[in-house]
Structures are given as structure tokens and as C-alpha cells.
Amino acid sequence: MRPLKKPDRFLLDEGDLQWQFVRASGPGGQNVNKVATAVELRVDVVHARSIPQHLKERLRRIAGRRINAQGVLVIQAQRFRSQARNRQDALERLHALLEQAARRPKPRIATAPTPASREKRLEQKRRRSAAKRLRGKIGDQ
């Protein structure tokens, strides 16, 4: 099996990929009822030996609902009318997910609001409060 080149300089083994072809929904004429053009790509992220551990953790976070409880990433592709193009689309989407997981998140540096911005916020609160006070009955003041 030939490995696939990935952005984080590791090789994704094709043995980790499981392909399933099903009939696509939507437009396509009579072809839709005869040919299994939709592609379902499954990657067992938890057990994939070719994906580094740090990427697995970030991939689980990024993929969200596309990863099931067993840790299997499911990508469904049925945008195109040909099986080959849908297969390519599924691979491209997997690559995009892996590239996104490979990018390390920039650490957030906590900052405090400036004294001027605090004063501006308090001034806006005072104005709003005064405007709301004027809405009461005339005898309330």
C-alpha cells in the first residue's frame, strides 16, 4: 500500500483508510439509481498507527461530530457525479482536517483593559442608567 504524504511530515498509510461506496442522493438523473457514486471515508483515528498522538488529540477536537464515540472519523462526499471525483474530494477534506490539526494554536496572552477603556465603559453605563431612569413615572423621581 502506498502511503499518503501529509503536511506534518508524516505518512498516512492507506491501510488506515476504509472506503465505502453508496448511492448518492440528489441530482444525477437515472445514473443516481444505478451507480454507487457517493463515498464514505472512514479513518480510525484512535488506532491509526500513522497519525502522531498530538495530532490525534487535536483532530478529535477539530472534527467534532464527524468523529463517533469509537474514535472513527467519517467523511461523506457526494458533491460530484463520479465516484473518482467524490473519492478525491473526501481525501482533500481529510487533508484539510489534518492540516488544520497540524497547526499549533497560538497561545493566548491575557491582557487587562486600559484605564481609558474602563472609564469609557463606566460612562456608557451611567448614560444608559440615566436614560432608563427617565422612563419611570413622573412622581417616581
Side-chain angles (χ1 to χ4, degrees):
M1 300 199 185
R2 77 181 161 81
L4 299 169
K5 202 139 178 68
K6 292 275 91 290
D8 202 20
R9 293 180 184 82
F10 71 93
L11 300 174
L12 184 61
D13 188 14
E14 280 195 22
D16 292 336
L17 307 178
Q18 296 173 334
W19 299 96
Q20 186 174 357
F21 302 99
V22 293
R23 289 190 180 142
S25 62
Q30 303 229 341
N31 198 43
V32 141
N33 300 323
K34 297 184 287 188
V35 184
T37 56
V39 173
E40 194 175 86
L41 171 61
R42 292 174 172 269
V43 181
D44 190 351
V45 175
V46 175
H47 297 104
R49 295 177 308 273
S50 60
I51 301 175
Q53 190 59 37
H54 69 280
L55 266 172
K56 288 180 184 182
E57 293 163 8
R58 267 191 258 146
L59 189 59
R60 285 187 78 122
R61 226 175 305 121
I62 290 170
R65 292 188 339 214
R66 289 175 284 195
I67 288 190
N68 62 23
Q70 292 77 31
V72 177
L73 172 67
V74 179
I75 297 176
Q76 295 175 336
Q78 61 177 12
R79 243 190 310 184
F80 301 98
R81 290 179 64 169
S82 76
Q83 190 181 84
R85 187 64 188 106
N86 281 329
R87 184 181 164 114
Q88 185 64 37
D89 183 38
L91 269 179
E92 287 169 6
R93 286 164 48 194
L94 175 62
H95 287 187
L97 271 175
L98 288 170
E99 282 178 16
Q100 189 178 354
R103 273 187 247 121
R104 288 192 166 74
K106 196 164 85 173
R108 186 187 181 284
I109 301 169
T111 59
T114 63
S117 67
R118 275 194 208 123
E119 187 53 45
K120 182 179 174 183
R121 181 181 60 86
L122 293 173
E123 180 57 34
Q124 287 174 341
K125 285 180 75 159
R126 280 191 283 273
R127 282 190 190 149
R128 193 82 183 128
S129 174
K132 287 185 173 189
R133 239 186 330 216
L134 292 174
R135 293 182 192 157
K137 292 183 182 175
I138 295 173
D140 287 349
Q141 297 177 357

